[in-house]
Amino acid sequence: MLEIKNVKKSFGKQEVLKDVSLRVEKGDVIVILGPSGSGKTTLLRSLAFLEKADGGVMTLGDKSLDMHNASSKDIAWVRKRTAFVFQNYNLFANKTALENVMLGLTAGRGMKKDEAERIARKALRDVGLEDRMDYYPSRLSGGQQQRVGIARAMAVKPDVIFFDEPTSALYPELTGEVLKVLRNLADKKTTMIIVTHEMAFARDVASQVIFMDDGYILEQGRPEEVFDNPEQERTKQFLSSYS
Ligand code: ADP
Ligand code: MG
């Protein structure tokens, strides 16, 4: 469904993604683990074309494109089929929850306002925010703001949703409500790539776990393989810091 091959990305002299290849099937929940600075965010941002890779080939559906030389038309095509959930929610402060979700549909996809509103209301209900639709972000908790961010991503019905540490800006007592929404999405076979440090969640929900270190995918497998029987010393070290 989504495949990338040999993705590379440097910032100045620093090689952040050295050679990353990855294949995602429909309904997969891929969890990416790895230490800070290993390139996880850069990988997700490159997949979503929020960052332009220096090299690599992406295949999404029936279309293959050169990630460095993709035309603006191709980039728009990929953006229409993907959605991104940010660590810090990235909501418009001067728009209500409902307006934030609608914007992705009207401004983002040219949908008519009344249809956008219908879909946005449903998405907000699905994340348990039926009673907060008219609230501005400043009056919502972090967990609620992140659920608006997830509703905004779901509303556009993307082929795949990228989540970059969706719970790491939250107070610990608020992570559960967001993880619950992610579990629901996984149960509905939503294709997702999630960068997280929530190990229990990863073990439960992931179809594949990836361990990234220093710009490479060092290890990949089913959760029980990676968590209980990691092949690489680096993976063992990393996981032991969480147990
Ligand atoms: P992770 O998400 O795994 O913590 P990142 O992808 O954010 O890692 O960052 C990997 C490396 O790339 C870090 O050393 C970071 O400082 C660097 N980096 C990330 N984004 C930029 C940028 N826009 N400009 C310069 N360096 C960056
Ligand atoms: Mg990051």
Side-chain angles (χ1 to χ4, degrees), residues 158-169:
D159 293 348
V160 50
I161 308 180
F162 306 116
F163 296 81
D164 192 12
E165 301 202 27
T167 61
S168 56

Side-chain angles (χ1 to χ4, degrees), residues 38 49 75 82 107 110 123 131 170 182 216 218 242:
S38 55
F49 282 92
I75 292 172
T82 58
D131 56 349
L170 300 175
L182 295 183
Y216 290 107
L218 218 57
Y242 283 88

Side-chain angles (χ1 to χ4, degrees), residues 5 25 36-37 59 61 90 96 111 119 125 134 138 142 164 166 181 183 199 209 213 222 239-240:
K5 280 194 175 147
E25 303 296 345
S36 173
T59 306
N90 277 23
T96 64
M111 190 180 283
I119 292 171
R125 277 199 300 276
D134 297 321
S138 60
D164 192 12
V181 169
R183 273 174 210 270
M199 297 298 166
V209 174
D213 191 34
R222 295 190 301 133
L239 293 172
S240 70

Side-chain angles (χ1 to χ4, degrees), residues 158-206:
D159 293 348
V160 50
I161 308 180
F162 306 116
F163 296 81
D164 192 12
E165 301 202 27
T167 61
S168 56
L170 300 175
Y171 291 113
E173 64 269 28
L174 299 179
T175 60
E177 65 189 60
V178 171
L179 294 178
K180 196 174 138 200
V181 169
L182 295 183
R183 273 174 210 270
N184 281 340
L185 286 176
D187 289 344
K188 289 191 212 154
K189 296 284 168 217
T190 310
T191 312
M192 303 189 266
I193 305 182
I194 308 173
V195 173
T196 185
H197 298 282
E198 296 290 336
M199 297 298 166
F201 168 81
R203 183 189 275 272
D204 255 28
V205 176

Side-chain angles (χ1 to χ4, degrees), residues 4-10 15-22 38 43 55-57 212-218:
I4 52 166
K5 280 194 175 147
N6 309 116
V7 176
K8 296 184 173 70
K9 173 72 183 172
S10 296
E15 264 190 291
V16 173
L17 298 179
K18 294 178 177 167
D19 184 3
V20 177
S21 298
L22 172 63
S38 55
L43 175 60
V57 176
M212 266 186 88
D213 191 34
D214 197 23
Y216 290 107
I217 291 178
L218 218 57

